[in-house]
Amino acid sequence: MGRNFSKWIGIVLMAAATFCVSGLVMSGEAQAARLVNNNDGTVTDTQTGLMWADHDNGSNINWSNAKNYCEGYNGGGKSGWRLPTLDELRSLNSSAYGSVIKRTGFWFWASETKGSYAASYGFGYGARYWTHQSTNSDYRALPVRSGK
């Protein structure tokens, strides 16, 4: 029973791992499908109703300049752009985000602040972080607005 049981456990574990990996791929594909490129500098998230810029700002930027960049963005001829919250950034799956929205940075500024620190989110790491607002190395801005 020892060898057969071990072999059976190995088969079950491989099947479970395959199911988990295929589930992750499908969830990334499903999320990519929910992000609709409007072909006007914007992408609409059909699940959250948010409209995103179809690219980040493309270069290093500190929090204050990121806020100004987002508020001045005019993608799709629309106004009302702003820095996203941490939860809004986190709602974007990193693989779907990279395939639908052009991404050049590792960290993205969020709107939340605590004194001289601002929240940031790393898609490559799936991590939230508090960074001094003057930091600009490897930080980007990604404008968002209500889709209405």
Side-chain angles (χ1 to χ4, degrees):
M1 178 177 166
R3 279 188 186 171
N4 287 338
F5 183 74
S6 295
K7 187 176 182 179
W8 182 81
I9 290 295
I11 290 170
V12 168
L13 290 174
M14 277 188 62
T18 301
F19 176 76
C20 288
V21 168
S22 66
L24 289 173
V25 170
M26 287 191 300
S27 67
E29 290 170 357
Q31 187 171 34
R34 83 177 213 207
L35 298 174
V36 177
N37 189 331
N38 300 315
N39 296 313
D40 63 359
T42 69
V43 171
T44 299
D45 185 330
T46 60
Q47 183 177 335
T48 65
L50 294 172
M51 183 177 285
W52 295 89
D54 68 0
H55 60 283
D56 64 40
N57 68 300
S59 62
N60 292 337
I61 194 168
N62 67 32
W63 184 86
S64 178
N65 289 338
K67 183 177 183 293
N68 291 335
Y69 173 84
C70 290
E71 291 172 355
Y73 188 73
N74 65 356
K78 307 228 183 258
S79 60
W81 294 94
R82 59 180 172 75
L83 271 176
T85 66
L86 276 172
D87 286 341
E88 289 167 340
L89 284 168
R90 196 172 46 202
S91 76
L92 293 173
N93 174 289
S94 63
S95 62
Y97 171 51
S99 65
V100 180
I101 299 172
K102 184 180 176 191
R103 145 177 99 162
T104 59
F106 296 109
W107 292 94
F108 293 84
W109 290 113
S111 59
E112 294 90 344
T113 61
K114 288 182 182 178
S116 60
Y117 288 84
S120 58
Y121 185 76
F123 284 100
Y125 312 104
R128 297 178 291 170
Y129 195 71
W130 289 93
T131 307
H132 198 277
Q133 292 180 21
S134 64
T135 302
N136 67 3
S137 183
D138 294 326
Y139 284 82
R140 302 291 191 268
L142 182 65
V144 68
R145 68 181 298 278
S146 171
K148 298 176 184 176

